[in-house]
Structures are given as C-alpha cells and as structure tokens.
Amino acid sequence: MTDTVDVVVVGAGVVGLGVALALTERDRRAVAVLEAEPTVAAHQSGRNSGVIHSGLYYSPGSRKAAWCREGLALLYRFCEAEGIPHRRTGKLIVAANPAELPRLDELAARASANRVAARRVSAAGLIDVEPAVAGAGGLWVEETGVVDFRAVARAIAARVQSGGGTVRFGSAVLSIVRDGAGFVVESTTGTLKTRRVVTCAGAQADRMARMTGPDPGVRIVTFRGEYLALKPERAELVRGLIYPVPDPSLPFLGVHFTRRIDGTVDVGPNALLTLARDGYRRGQLSPRDLAEWVAFPGFWKLLGRHWRVGAGELARSRSKALLLRSLRKLVPSLELSDLVPAPAGVRAQAVDRAGRLVSDFLFAEEPGVVHVLNAPSPAATACLAIGRIVADRVLAAG
Ligand SMILES: Cc1cc2nc3c(=O)[nH]c(=O)nc-3n(C[C@H](O)[C@H](O)[C@H](O)COP(=O)(O)OP(=O)(O)OC[C@H]3O[C@@H](n4cnc5c(N)ncnc54)[C@H](O)[C@@H]3O)c2cc1C
C-alpha cells in the first residue's frame, strides 16, 4: 500500500529539518522527511565548523544577510529552549598586514549596513582579545557563537516527530513524478503519495530539481574542506574564533581557528574542488559526477576564473610547511608539531553557466514544489529562518 502525506521533504540536514519543523509546528501538516543516510546531519550539517555566524559578511539586502540575522536569533532561542550546549564566543577577524586594513574597513562598513555590532581592534589591542594573535588590526564581532549542528539536527528531528511528522532514514529518493494534483515519490524504502515536495538535498540539489522540472541552469560543484586540529596541550593558543580577512572574490571565509563547543580547536577548512560529490577523501573520483561536470559549460569557466586560487589551495593542502606559513600570519608561535589531522567536510556550491559561484541562497519553484538549490554557509546558522520561508513558499506554491 502507498502511504499518503501532505508534504515530503527530501534531506535530513538542518535545512530540510528546519522546513519540516516549520510545517509541523505552524500548520500541523503531515510531513515525511526522507533521508538517504542512517542518521540526521550526515553530510554538510554534521561536518562543518559549528559556527553560529553573525551575518557580517553578506551583501546588504541579500537573502544571506537577512536570513542569517533572523536565523541566528531563532537558533540561539532554540538552543536555550532545548538545552543544547552553545556558547557566544565572539570572533576576531584579523588583518595580517597593513595592506589588508582597507578590506577590514569594508567589512566594518558592511557589518554596520547589516546591523551587526562590530568594533575595531588596534594592532596592540589584538593580544587582549587573543593573546597568541599578531596582525595590523582586527574587527571584533560579539554575537558569533559555536554549537554542534548535529545536536541541533537531532533536536529539530525530535520536535518534528513529536509534532506528528516522520523521519525515514535509509530512504534515498529515486524519483519524483507529478501525478494529477500531487506527486509520487519513490525511494529505496517504498513509495509515498504527497501534495507537495520540498527538496533540501545539499550536494544532490540540482539533480532533485531536474527530477520535477526544467534544468535550473546551475550545477552543484563540491569543495572539500580539510581540517587540522590543535593538539590538546596547545589548544590554549586559541580562546575563541580567529578568522583572516576573506578574499572578496570567493564565497569562503578563509582558513580559521575555531574553538568548538567541546573545547577542541580546529584549523580549517580550506576549499579544494573535488572529483566526486561526496569527495571526503583525497583522490576520490566519481565517473558519473565528473561526466556531468565536464558536460556543463559553467564548470570550465569556473576553472578558468579560479585556477590560480585553486592551485594555491592545492599546494597548501599538499605542503604542511606552506600551510603553516599562511597560518603563522595570524598566530606566529604555531608549530607544525601542534597540528594533527581532523575529519574533512564537503561543501555543496551552485555554479551557473557563466562559471560564477552563486553567492546567495537560491531556490527553484514550480507548483507544489520548492527545491533548495544553493544553501551554503551560513545556511546552518540560518536553518530555522530558511525553514519558515520555504514552508510558506511551498504552501503558497499551488
Ligand atoms: C566544511 C564546512 C564548514 C561549514 N561551516 C559552517 C559554519 O560554521 N556555520 C554555518 O552556518 N554553516 C557552515 N557550513 C555550511 C552548512 O553546513 C550548510 O550550509 C548546511 O549544513 C546545509 O544544510 P543542508 O540541509 O542544505 O545540507 P546537508 O547537510 O548536506 O543535507 C542534505 C541531506 O540530503 C540528503 N540527500 C541527498 N540526496 C538524497 C536523496 N536522493 N534522498 C534522500 N536524501 C538525500 C543527504 O544525505 C543529506 O543528509 C559549512 C559547511 C561545510 C561543508
């Protein structure tokens, strides 16, 4: 027998779960979340830096800027209500040399445009905030915090279930076919009939969109983010969060030092284009993924635009000495022997036909369907805000 639900949500990362929560809480809809893996947050949501972002970096007026602010407030409240360990650590963005100071000024102006409280720190004042840091100046952002997004995902899933929704693990969605006024969703655990569908499939987002509608004109490319960790006996080098001034041409924030909620200090992530959508390991290659990428004109244009940055990232990934040299610009007393390997994450990022990395959150919508096509950082911070917005859109969409 085929079960029937109001809404099928594909993906139990924090974005899919955020959508399911909004649907169950607000409208008491019968929601089924289908997740291919055996747990929540198995991909990006459980393998990230665990930073609750303030909303400082994003273009004023963008979805990222607005929803990060809204999401941060909702997330702090949710963590408090659910008793999820979290900490408002604040974060220090450091200009490594005087040439980076104008970019720090731009960030300060952007913070003010986005209504994020941030204060400049002089070169001499840096050590009062982070004793091991050196640089030409800094920007201190108070609202930034840390949390384990796996714990957030587990708590959201529990609320979805207590609100009458279901989360089905090991359910990889194979097809979504329009059927009269609704859809038939086939997964590895059976078939569901539903009136509406939301897909939040991270690295598989563009494939989901192509199941129900026209080619959305973007492909997901994936970037492995490798981390190292400070040895426990050297973890005192970092009190909170230390970030470099980011490269404005890229959607990544640069390799940073993060004291996580469990007290460990991570260094990373870098950003290496992978040859497989789940390219957690070096050298991992998927012929299917690669064939799709090389057939997409935007992929080649992306390589043309960013090959220099990519080559630099690759060199630092291969040579710890090179990596150390760049990290020492922020923390000069760091030694190679302080660093040990830590698990990598893989970022999903939409690229358009012109080879541009899509910077804002992006959806594809058709009657009864919303596909979340691009939900890179700070989507974990913003997950509860994105959830509300997508829930409204799918209920309005036909
Ligand atoms: C290295 C790294 C560091 C980051 N740091 C931060 C940070 O500090 N702060 C922040 O806010 N954001 C950060 N991000 C970004 C953040 O983690 C993501 O934006 C967010 O987790 C996206 O959530 P999601 O639910 O869209 O995707 P995902 O967590 O990737 O979830 C997608 C889910 O869909 C499932 N799925 C895919 N295909 C199918 C299918 N066919 N059937 C069923 N299920 C399917 C997958 O198994 C997966 O569980 C970081 C990301 C990475 C990778």
Side-chain angles (χ1 to χ4, degrees):
M1 209 185 78
T2 305
D3 290 340
T4 301
V5 295
D6 290 331
V7 189
V8 165
V9 176
V10 182
V14 286
V15 173
L17 290 168
V19 175
L21 180 64
L23 287 165
T24 49
E25 279 191 348
R26 262 206 230 156
D27 298 287
R28 313 262 339 140
R29 303 272 163 166
V31 177
V33 181
L34 302 182
E35 168 54 53
E37 303 289 352
T39 60
V40 294
H43 290 287
Q44 298 176 91
S45 302
R47 297 166 180 258
N48 58 29
S49 294
V51 175
I52 302 175
H53 286 295
S54 65
L56 153 97
Y57 297 101
Y58 318 113
S59 296
S62 64
R63 289 169 167 173
K64 275 189 178 175
W67 300 351
C68 185
R69 296 295 298 153
E70 194 183 330
L72 161 134
L74 290 170
L75 186 59
Y76 275 131
R77 238 181 288 146
F78 183 78
C79 289
E80 273 147 34
E82 292 288 329
I84 300 169
H86 64 287
R87 202 168 47 240
R88 285 176 212 243
T89 46
K91 105 173 183 183
L92 184 64
I93 304 172
V94 180
N97 52 55
E100 289 185 354
L101 286 173
R103 271 170 36 219
L104 206 60
D105 290 335
E106 284 165 24
L107 279 181
R110 194 159 263 202
S112 127
N114 288 337
R115 299 178 189 283
V116 177
R119 83 175 153 78
R120 284 298 294 267
V121 181
S122 67
L126 289 173
I127 55 168
D128 297 333
V129 186
E130 284 285 354
V133 158
L139 192 65
W140 171 250
V141 190
E142 201 162 312
E143 282 173 290
T144 310
V146 288
V147 71
D148 177 356
F149 282 107
R150 277 170 298 201
V152 172
R154 282 194 295 268
I156 304 178
R159 273 214 198 170
V160 168
Q161 284 160 322
S162 65
T166 55
V167 185
R168 301 186 186 186
F169 295 108
S171 295
V173 170
L174 306 170
S175 68
I176 305 169
V177 176
R178 206 172 272 279
D179 176 37
F183 299 86
V184 175
V185 180
E186 198 196 323
S187 80
T188 47
T189 52
T191 304
L192 280 177
K193 281 192 162 198
T194 182
R195 286 202 53 208
R196 299 163 207 275
V197 176
V198 178
T199 71
C200 309
Q204 307 295 330
D206 54 335
R207 287 182 176 151
M208 289 288 141
R210 280 179 281 148
M211 280 185 189
T212 64
D215 189 319
V218 297
R219 288 291 176 278
I220 297 293
V221 289
T222 43
F223 292 89
R224 187 171 58 258
E226 297 169 332
Y227 288 94
L228 295 163
L230 292 188
K231 284 198 305 207
E233 56 273 32
R234 292 286 279 164
E236 89 287 349
L237 272 179
V238 174
R239 281 184 182 165
L241 308 180
I242 305 169
Y243 278 64
V245 174
D247 178 340
S249 71
L250 294 172
F252 308 124
L253 302 181
V255 169
H256 42 268
F257 295 79
T258 309
R259 180 173 283 274
R260 288 180 181 269
I261 192 65
D262 65 3
T264 55
V265 176
D266 273 359
V267 185
N270 55 7
L272 299 159
L273 194 64
T274 64
L275 301 178
R277 292 195 190 216
D278 61 348
Y280 290 102
R281 285 174 289 107
R282 279 184 189 175
Q284 206 174 324
L285 186 147
S286 155
R288 179 190 172 198
D289 294 344
L290 204 55
E292 271 185 15
W293 283 327
V294 298
F296 185 66
F299 183 73
W300 295 103
K301 291 177 184 155
L302 172 76
L303 294 183
R305 274 169 193 265
H306 293 300
W307 68 268
R308 253 198 205 92
V309 179
E313 289 287 283
L314 198 60
R316 277 189 296 277
S317 163
R318 294 287 185 270
S319 159
K320 271 195 169 182
L322 272 183
L323 174 69
L324 185 69
R325 200 187 304 161
S326 71
L327 294 173
R328 274 187 173 161
K329 287 182 193 160
L330 301 183
V331 180
S333 56
L334 194 72
E335 298 290 343
L336 259 190
S337 57
D338 296 336
L339 299 166
V340 292
V346 174
R347 301 179 186 84
Q349 169 66 52
V351 60
D352 67 15
R353 287 189 192 284
R356 286 179 299 237
L357 296 172
V358 177
S359 118
D360 214 352
F361 299 142
L362 180 70
F363 306 132
E365 294 172 68
E366 304 148 40
V369 192
V370 177
H371 297 289
V372 177
L373 267 181
N374 195 46
S377 184
T381 303
C383 65
L384 297 174
I386 298 175
R388 290 180 173 191
I389 286 145
V390 172
D392 285 346
R393 288 172 106 113
V394 76
L395 294 177

